[in-house]
Amino acid sequence: MDKPFVLRLAGRSAVSVSAGRYLYCGSARGPGGLRARVARHLRRRKTLRWHVDRLTTKGRVIAVWAVPDGDECALAAQLGGLPVPVPGFGSSDCAGCPSHLFAWPEGAVLPFGPPTVSRD
């Protein structure tokens, strides 16, 4: 996020999201699978359906880590040491996770390493 913005989610109070880097953990189950879901999230113009759509239409996606057959809650648990900017973001159907959105401060080391660039 190059600049701060106000995030509005249905049924919740508006939250100010600071400029900075963020990581989102989500699943890609459904029609078209992983490739289709990621392609949809990378589009700037779309119907706002999921929480993450409110970020991808405001900010810039710099990397996508794809974990075929991965578990978004397990990934969120791995990132549990990072700050949670918006409690419940992307995890409204998850009883155990405080959020699926994490702030990624400069210098913070990720448990799965830095992103690699692929055009596949």
Side-chain angles (χ1 to χ4, degrees), residues 12-53:
R12 300 179 185 203
S13 299
V15 177
S16 181
V17 176
S18 301
R21 298 183 309 169
Y22 294 90
L23 298 169
Y24 171 73
C25 306
S27 64
R29 292 168 180 81
L34 183 64
R35 184 178 298 270
R37 182 63 63 92
V38 169
R40 184 198 183 281
H41 287 318
L42 293 176
R43 286 197 315 262
R44 300 280 293 174
R45 299 182 70 194
K46 60 191 159 222
T47 301
L48 301 181
R49 180 173 180 182
W50 289 283
H51 286 177
V52 72
D53 291 339

Side-chain angles (χ1 to χ4, degrees), residues 6-16 86:
V6 175
L7 174 68
R8 291 178 177 82
L9 300 175
R12 300 179 185 203
S13 299
V15 177
S16 181
V86 183

Side-chain angles (χ1 to χ4, degrees), residues 63 65 104 108-117:
W65 285 272
W104 181 17
V109 177
L110 301 177
F112 41 79
T116 56
V117 177

Side-chain angles (χ1 to χ4, degrees), residues 63-81:
V64 173
W65 285 272
V67 182
D69 300 317
D71 179 311
E72 64 190 299
C73 295
L75 182 56
Q78 284 186 289
L79 298 172

